């Protein structure tokens, strides 16, 4: 506003620095500040946009009170700075300097009440009054909890002032519900969630003109040029549209949904009954301790290790249906619940056992040598499961295949195939079938022929233990089907198999009861019926129960949760069977608490491993894929040098991905478009569908799905929920199956045929609406295990190594990476021009950054090593000495 600088300009950083190992590294960039965006739920924004002036002002005031409350919470519990060598001391601050920028609409012009709170990266330490940078790790650790706190407090404020009530709604891609204002229809919210812009509309017009004049569709690069032209022609003078103009436009757009009286509609959201608001003291400790058990169970199910910040965020989610009198009441109850949850868990971070002077303790007595809420925890149940798996992997009394038998099998072509195992695959088959380990491993990089090796394992095992002695499992039904095709044995997904395992006592009791009845029965027609029922009961039990000498193969084991692997291994051991876990620790982790596969692999020096990549046509890509797998950031230059990297804005990359896919499909190649986020997948699917409609291969009209997209006859779709009751040939409808739409029923049902040909299924209308998506593009998680001719992968600043490795290794002929250099995590609330990053830096950072789950045991080891590091002990000693002398602490670099 005034141009007066807020403090000194940071010192210019050198472009490179020498680290403590003598290596040249790029120096970290100076961060000026952090943008905390507080965005109201869509139902709140819609009600705010359509209400009368007085009500609109009250909604806005509630929004501002809420964000101020959250910032106040952050100043007392989150924001901090670091002092001492290596930032060994986390110091409290006097407060933050921030500027709040209110905005009324989204980037596409829809109502979206939100405020950008830009926090200066300069804070004043309480201890000595000096100005330093924020502890950014503490801020990022607490970001989700602060967001959940905003949502809860805003609901409290609006209920208290306007009497609004709230309802949970199921999310399409999340188990966590979202809470919206009751009375704001979903159709109205969807209408005000448009993604179109004036630029896109102008670009589309230019594309139509180009096609008409040239007799062909423009290429992706020509589309990029047309968009650049559209940007220039639609750019208005830099001024803010008056709110009154926006409101008039929004009211006109809402007319079809709420009629001509938006004021009356907004007033109808208020309920006559007075709201019940809770104070912190209304909820006694017994209630909070019970809630803590739920919070811990939910967090521990998703994460092998977690912090109090994770528990605090989950506690706020669990409390969202309760309305509190004040922000402090909500934060206090959630904080107590999170603390009680930590008391039920096991702390993996070693406690500070040294003498900490009072000057380095916080008001609550905790040491400043440990950052607030940074301690890592796990449940005892998970630690026990990991310990059992380690013990079983070390035990060597499992059934085996004689070495001579295994060698003889590997020297012959695989059953039903004309080719032999490679020497590496043969060695892996012999090692896993003759080892005697109760839980064994087979590790293989992408494209090394793990499926072929598993077929060899099955042949060797059945040669020694007979037909039916091999059982196949995988974390998903689709992966189980792939395993069945590759190995030729009956397979099941792990969740279904474990649920059947839980039924075994019941089935055995039923079979035993029949046996007792038969022992007392006399020959008669009734006894013959009883014999038939007894035989059926015994068969049902035996079909599900493991028996001595069997081998259980778990494919894609890196994506299996630790508890699932523990249940499988324990059951197999009890039955006298052996378990073989097959997978790649460098690929994607499970959605549940994981890290066990890598824990078991790291615990052994002799793990059978496949290194010979056989998938790729180009020799350089075999080596590059392995370098990427190991996290060698320098391999980014190889992909760029081979012409496999494109870079630019998100929309430009979407255009280029689509063009690459379109050209490959035209040439008869199987091709995948890949992204880590569902929004980009949806956009790529929409582009592919529009292209196929224009080509006359897909009907434009059809059925609208739950995600808003339309599906017509001829479209490729993917089912997203296992439904065994929906039979298709000899199989059933599974999560991840690809289909082609053949026809629709009058009730909204859909007849589909497998994309690979053959079997047909009829999907009910409710399944179509909730569990179907277009299938031209896919996420990295759904792509793991698939092989195609070419792959086109979208990469952003948030991409990490594991999904990148999966996306970059699906294609036999080529794998192209499209790097978004202007990534914005929330495009709807972004403003101003895009700032472009260096694509090579983005790619190198993605390769160097692991997002894999670590086991609790491995995390504990790393935490203990970090706490005992000589530099840390020395730095803490220096800080303690400086504090007691009253000389202050040195500033962290």
């Amino acid at each position: 506003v005034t141009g007066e600088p807020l403090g000194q300009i940071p010192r210019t950083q050198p472009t490179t620095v020498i680290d403590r190992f003598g290596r040249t590294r790029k120096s970290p960039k100076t961060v000026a500040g952090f943008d905390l965006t507080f965005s109201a739920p869509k139902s709140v924004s819609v009600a705010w946009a359509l209400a009368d002036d007085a009500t609109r002002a009250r909604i806005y005031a509630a929004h501002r009170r809420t964000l101020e409350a959250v910032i106040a919470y952050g100043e007392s519990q989150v924001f901090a700075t670091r002092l001492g060598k290596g930032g060994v001391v986390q110091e409290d601050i006097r407060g933050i300097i921030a500027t709040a920028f209110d905005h009324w609409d989204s980037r596409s012009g829809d109502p979206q009440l939100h405020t950008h709170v830009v926090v200066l990266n300069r804070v004043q330490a309480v201890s000595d009054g000096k100005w330093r940078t924020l502890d950014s790790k503490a801020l990022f650790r607490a970001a989700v909890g602060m967001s959940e706190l905003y949502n809860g407090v805003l609901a409290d404020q609006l209920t208290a002032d306007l009497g609004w009530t709230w309802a949970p709604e199921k999310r399409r891609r999340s188990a966590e519900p979202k809470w919206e204002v009751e009375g704001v229809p979903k159709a109205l919210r969807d209408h005000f969630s448009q993604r179109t812009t004036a630029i896109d509309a102008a670009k589309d017009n230019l594309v139509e003109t180009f096609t008409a004049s040239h007799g062909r569709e423009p290429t992706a690069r020509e589309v990029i040029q047309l968009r650049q032209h559209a940007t220039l022609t639609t750019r208005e003078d830099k001024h803010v549209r008056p709110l009154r103009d926006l409101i008039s436009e929004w009211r006109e757009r809402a007319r079809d949904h709420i009629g001509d009286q938006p004021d009356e509609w907004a007033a109808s959201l208020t309920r006559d009954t007075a709201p019940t608001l809770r104070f912190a003291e209304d909820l006694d400790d017994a209630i909070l301790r019970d809630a803590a058990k739920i919070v811990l169970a939910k967090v521990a199910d998703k994460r092998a290790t977690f912090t109090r910040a994770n528990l605090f965020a989950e506690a706020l989610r669990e409390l969202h249906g309760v309305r509190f009198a004040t922000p402090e009441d909500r934060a206090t109850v959630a904080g107590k619940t999170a603390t009680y949850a930590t008391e039920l868990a096991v702390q993996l971070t070693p406690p500070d056992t040294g003498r900490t002077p009072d000057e380095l303790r916080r008001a609550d007595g905790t040491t400043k040598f440990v950052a607030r809420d940074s301690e890592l925890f796990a449940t005892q149940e998970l630690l026990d499961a990991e310990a059992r798996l380690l013990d079983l992997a070390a035990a060597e009394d499992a059934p085996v295949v004689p070495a001579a038998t295994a060698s003889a099998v590997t020297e012959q072509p695989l059953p039903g195939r004309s080719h032999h195992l490679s020497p590496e695959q043969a060695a892996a088959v012999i090692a896993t079938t003759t080892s005697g380990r109760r839980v064994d491993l087979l590790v293989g990089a992408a494209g090394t022929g793990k499926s072929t090796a598993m077929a060899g394992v099955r042949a060797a095992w059945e040669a020694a233990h007979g037909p039916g002695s091999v059982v196949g499992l995988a974390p998903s039904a689709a992966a189980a089907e792939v395993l069945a095709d590759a190995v030729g044995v009956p397979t099941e997904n792990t969740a279904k198999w474990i649920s059947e395992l839980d039924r075994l006592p019941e089935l055995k009791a039923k079979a035993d009861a029949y046996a007792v009845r038969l022992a007392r029965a006399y020959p008669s027609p009734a006894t013959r019926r009883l014999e038939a029922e007894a035989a059926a009961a015994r068969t049902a039990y035996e079909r599900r129960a493991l028996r001595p000498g069997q081998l259980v193969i778990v494919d894609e084991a890196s994506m299996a949760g630790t508890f699932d692997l523990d249940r499988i291994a324990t059951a197999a051991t009890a039955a006298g069977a052996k378990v073989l876990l097959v997978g790649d620790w460098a690929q994607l982790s499970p959605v549940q608490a994981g890290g066990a596969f890598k824990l078991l692999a790291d615990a052994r020096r002799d793990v059978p491993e496949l290194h010979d990549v056989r998938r790729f046509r180009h020799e350089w890509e075999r080596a590059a894929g392995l370098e990427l797998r190991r996290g060698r950031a320098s391999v980014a230059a190889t992909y760029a040098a081979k012409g496999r990297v494109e870079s630019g804005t998100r929309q430009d990359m979407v255009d280029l991905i689509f063009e690459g896919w379109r050209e490959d499909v035209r040439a008869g190649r199987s091709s995948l478009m890949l992204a880590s986020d569902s929004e980009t997948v949806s956009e790529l699917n929409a582009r592919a569908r529009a292209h196929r409609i224009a080509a006359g291969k897909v009907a434009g009209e059809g059925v609208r799905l739950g995600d808003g997209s339309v599906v017509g006859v001829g479209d490729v779709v993917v089912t997203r929920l296992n439904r065994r009751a929906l039979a298709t040939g000899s199989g059933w409808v599974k999560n991840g199956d690809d289909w082609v739409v053949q026809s629709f029923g009058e009730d909204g049902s859909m007849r589909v045929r497998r994309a690979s040909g053959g079997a047909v299924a009829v999907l009910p209308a409710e399944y179509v609406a909730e569990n179907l998506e277009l299938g031209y593009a896919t996420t990295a998680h759904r792509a793991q295990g698939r092989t195609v001719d070419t792959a086109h992968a979208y990469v952003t600043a948030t991409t990490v190594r594991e999904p990148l490795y999966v996306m970059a290794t699906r294609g036999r002929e080529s794998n192209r990476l499209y790097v978004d250099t202007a990534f914005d995590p929330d495009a709807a609330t972004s403003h101003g021009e895009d700032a472009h990053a260096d694509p090579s830096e983005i790619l190198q950072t993605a390769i160097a950054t692991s997002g894999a789950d670590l086991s609790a045991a491995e995390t504990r080891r790393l935490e203990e090593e970090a706490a005992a590091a000589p530099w840390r002990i020395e730095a803490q000693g220096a800080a303690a000495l400086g504090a007691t002398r009253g000389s202050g602490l040195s500033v962290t670099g």
Side-chain angles (χ1 to χ4, degrees):
V1 177
T2 66
E4 181 182 357
L6 295 174
Q8 296 179 342
I9 297 175
R11 295 189 302 273
T12 302
Q13 297 281 356
T15 56
T16 59
V17 295
I18 306 298
D19 67 14
R20 58 194 180 100
F21 298 107
R23 298 172 300 191
T24 301
R25 300 293 193 198
K26 289 186 177 180
S27 62
K29 295 180 179 178
T30 301
V31 175
F34 301 90
D35 175 13
L36 310 181
T37 305
F38 295 87
S39 186
K42 180 56 70 173
S43 57
V44 175
S45 291
V46 170
W48 165 84
L50 302 178
D52 59 81
D53 291 348
T55 303
R56 185 179 308 108
R58 291 164 70 181
I59 297 170
Y60 169 73
H63 164 74
R64 286 302 296 250
R65 288 195 303 271
T66 300
L67 70 87
E68 288 167 5
V70 176
I71 291 296
Y73 168 83
E75 287 184 310
S76 67
Q77 300 295 324
V78 175
F79 298 115
T81 189
R82 303 299 294 243
L83 290 71
K85 182 180 179 181
V88 74
V89 176
Q90 187 188 61
E91 181 57 78
D92 293 337
I93 62 172
R94 291 184 58 200
I96 62 168
I97 297 174
T99 304
F101 299 89
D102 289 327
H103 292 276
W104 314 128
D105 57 344
S106 69
R107 197 168 190 172
S108 56
D110 293 318
Q112 189 61 62
L113 174 61
H114 64 282
T115 298
H116 296 268
V117 179
V118 183
V119 180
L120 184 70
N121 192 19
R122 290 293 182 274
V123 288
Q124 191 176 32
V126 170
S127 60
D128 58 10
K130 292 184 178 180
W131 290 85
R132 299 179 174 87
T133 57
L134 269 171
D135 181 359
S136 58
K137 289 184 179 180
L139 176 56
F140 283 108
R141 191 162 50 241
V144 175
M146 292 176 70
S147 175
E148 294 294 341
L149 183 61
Y150 167 82
N151 290 333
V153 173
L154 180 63
D156 295 339
Q157 295 287 319
L158 291 170
T159 296
D161 189 24
L162 294 170
W164 286 1
T165 56
W166 303 78
E169 291 186 359
K170 181 181 177 182
R171 298 177 192 252
R172 188 172 177 82
R173 295 184 179 90
S174 173
E176 298 297 335
K178 64 176 180 177
W179 291 77
E180 300 285 0
V181 181
E182 280 194 301
V184 182
K186 184 177 185 301
L188 179 60
R189 284 183 270 130
D190 290 344
H191 175 75
F192 282 123
S193 300
Q194 304 293 324
R195 292 187 178 92
T196 57
T197 65
I199 293 174
D200 287 334
K203 182 265 296 181
D204 291 342
N205 291 333
L206 292 173
V207 168
E208 292 179 6
T209 303
F210 180 100
T211 303
S213 61
H214 291 74
R216 63 172 177 85
E217 293 181 357
T219 66
R221 299 188 188 281
E222 289 169 335
V223 168
I224 291 172
Q225 294 174 349
L226 293 173
R227 183 183 295 106
Q228 291 171 347
H229 179 70
T231 300
L232 294 174
T233 58
T234 58
R235 178 172 291 166
E236 301 178 0
D237 294 335
K238 289 187 177 294
H239 67 272
V240 178
R241 290 186 64 190
L243 179 57
R244 182 59 55 192
D245 292 351
L246 292 171
I247 291 170
S248 298
E249 176 186 312
W250 293 332
R251 288 190 167 200
E252 183 62 31
R253 288 174 55 186
R255 189 184 301 273
D256 292 339
H257 296 272
I258 61 173
D260 298 331
Q261 302 297 326
D263 293 358
E264 294 181 6
W265 170 82
S268 70
L269 300 176
T270 299
R271 301 294 179 258
D272 295 333
T273 56
T276 301
L277 303 178
R278 303 290 184 185
F279 295 93
E281 53 268 25
D282 293 339
L283 303 176
D284 61 31
D285 275 5
I287 295 175
L288 299 189
R289 290 185 184 277
D290 286 342
K293 295 176 183 177
I294 298 173
V295 167
L296 180 63
K298 285 198 171 185
V299 172
D301 181 61
K302 294 179 285 188
R303 299 171 178 268
T305 63
F306 46 87
T307 65
R308 185 180 176 279
N310 300 132
L311 297 168
F312 179 71
E314 184 61 41
L316 286 166
R317 294 189 192 101
E318 293 300 310
L319 291 166
H320 202 98
V322 181
R323 300 276 66 83
F324 286 92
T326 69
E328 293 74 20
D329 288 309
R330 177 172 291 276
T332 297
V333 170
K336 281 186 177 181
T337 304
T339 298
Y340 291 153
T342 64
E343 294 172 358
L344 299 172
V346 178
Q347 184 171 317
L348 305 178
T349 304
D352 180 50
T353 56
R355 182 182 178 279
T356 303
D358 293 341
E359 293 83 355
L360 293 180
R361 289 195 178 276
R362 302 185 183 93
D364 60 4
T366 58
T367 175
K368 295 180 181 179
F369 287 140
V370 179
R372 186 184 284 112
D373 289 351
S374 66
E375 299 96 333
L376 288 167
F377 297 86
T379 62
Q380 187 62 54
E381 291 80 5
L382 184 78
L383 288 164
D384 292 344
E386 292 179 354
R388 282 191 295 269
L389 285 169
L390 286 169
D391 289 343
L392 293 175
E396 298 185 6
D397 57 351
V400 297
V401 174
T405 302
S407 297
V409 169
T410 58
E411 292 172 359
Q412 303 296 321
L414 291 174
R417 308 187 190 189
S418 59
H419 62 275
H420 290 69
L421 294 170
S422 71
E424 184 182 60
Q425 291 169 333
V429 169
I430 294 171
T432 55
T433 57
T434 63
S435 75
R437 291 181 181 271
R438 292 182 183 176
V439 173
D440 217 334
L441 301 178
L442 173 56
V443 178
T448 53
K450 293 188 291 293
S451 296
T452 302
M454 283 188 287
V457 168
R458 178 229 174 166
W461 198 267
E462 289 191 341
H465 297 276
S469 58
V470 177
V471 176
L473 299 176
S476 69
E481 186 173 45
V482 171
L483 175 62
D485 292 340
V487 181
V489 297
T491 62
E492 188 56 88
N493 70 73
T494 53
K496 175 64 175 176
W497 190 86
I498 290 172
S499 70
E500 295 290 349
L501 178 67
D502 292 336
R503 290 189 59 211
L504 282 179
E506 171 193 339
L507 294 174
K508 187 175 187 305
K510 185 177 181 180
D512 290 345
Y514 274 114
V516 170
R517 293 173 61 189
L518 280 173
R520 301 171 181 172
Y522 292 97
S524 68
T527 299
R528 287 194 291 273
R529 289 194 297 271
L530 189 62
E531 288 174 341
E533 293 171 1
R538 177 60 58 181
T539 299
Y541 170 73
E542 292 177 348
R543 188 172 64 248
R544 293 167 174 82
L546 293 174
R547 62 178 185 270
Q550 282 190 307
L551 173 68
V552 180
I553 299 177
V554 183
D555 194 17
E556 300 289 358
S558 67
M559 294 187 70
T562 298
F563 289 117
D564 287 352
L565 293 181
D566 175 48
R567 289 293 308 281
I568 294 166
T570 301
T573 298
K578 174 186 173 79
V579 174
L580 174 62
L581 306 180
V582 182
D584 182 9
W585 47 260
Q587 297 190 50
L588 292 164
S589 299
V591 294
Q592 296 172 310
F597 186 78
K598 189 174 189 303
L599 173 69
L600 297 176
D602 289 344
R604 286 178 56 181
R605 296 182 178 180
D606 61 344
V607 177
E609 190 160 1
L610 303 177
H611 299 282
D612 183 15
V613 180
R614 313 167 70 82
R615 175 177 296 165
F616 305 127
R617 171 175 296 181
H618 303 285
E619 190 65 33
W620 73 265
E621 197 160 9
R622 299 180 183 182
L626 292 175
E627 291 290 284
L628 195 164
R629 179 176 183 263
R630 297 186 188 104
R632 307 282 173 78
S634 59
V635 77
T638 302
Y639 282 93
K642 295 296 183 179
R644 294 291 184 83
V645 179
E646 300 280 359
S647 62
T649 66
R650 178 183 184 278
Q651 199 56 52
D652 290 348
M653 294 303 97
V654 169
D655 287 339
L656 290 176
I657 290 171
F658 169 71
E659 180 186 48
W661 173 85
R662 180 178 63 180
E663 293 303 315
D664 287 338
V665 171
R666 282 177 176 172
R669 303 183 188 96
S670 60
S671 185
L672 268 180
M673 297 184 286
L674 299 154
S676 295
D677 66 291
S678 56
E679 184 175 348
T680 302
V681 168
S682 296
E683 187 167 346
L684 288 168
N685 274 325
R687 290 290 303 275
R689 170 173 160 75
H691 164 69
R692 287 172 60 80
I693 291 174
K697 297 180 179 179
V698 169
E701 296 181 353
V703 172
R704 185 172 297 277
L705 305 181
D707 62 359
S709 59
V710 175
V711 169
V713 173
D715 265 320
V716 176
V717 294
V718 59
T719 45
R720 300 294 293 119
L721 182 70
N722 293 336
R723 187 64 66 84
R724 292 172 185 269
L726 299 178
T728 166
S730 60
W732 44 277
V733 173
K734 294 179 289 300
N735 179 13
D737 283 349
D738 292 320
W739 310 82
V740 176
V741 179
Q742 290 192 313
S743 62
F744 298 99
E746 293 183 359
D747 61 348
S749 62
M750 183 184 296
R751 177 184 171 90
V752 294
R753 175 181 52 81
R754 289 199 180 277
S756 56
V760 171
V762 176
L763 307 178
E766 52 87 14
Y767 188 97
V768 170
E770 297 296 330
N771 302 297
L772 203 66
E773 297 175 1
L774 287 166
Y776 303 105
T778 187
T779 62
H781 272 83
R782 294 211 300 268
Q784 182 161 315
R786 294 186 62 176
T787 302
V788 291
D789 294 328
T790 65
H792 303 270
Y794 175 65
V795 181
T796 75
T798 62
T799 303
V800 293
R801 180 165 66 243
E802 289 76 18
L804 176 62
Y805 175 55
V806 170
M807 294 190 294
T809 54
R810 298 304 95 198
R812 302 181 190 90
E813 299 179 16
S814 75
N815 297 276
R816 303 184 68 85
L817 309 177
Y818 301 79
V819 182
D820 181 351
T821 58
F823 176 73
D824 192 319
D826 188 4
T829 59
S830 62
H831 306 276
E833 301 297 328
D834 294 325
H836 288 261
D838 184 337
S840 63
E841 287 187 11
I842 293 175
L843 201 53
Q844 288 174 19
T845 300
I847 295 170
T849 305
S850 173
D853 282 348
L854 289 180
S855 65
E858 175 69 3
T859 300
R860 171 181 271 168
R861 183 185 67 80
L862 294 174
E863 288 291 288
E864 290 173 349
E865 287 182 359
W871 76 265
R872 181 180 295 277
I873 295 174
E874 179 184 346
Q876 288 180 348
L881 184 62
T884 55
R885 287 179 175 175
S887 57
L889 299 167
S890 60
V891 180
T892 179

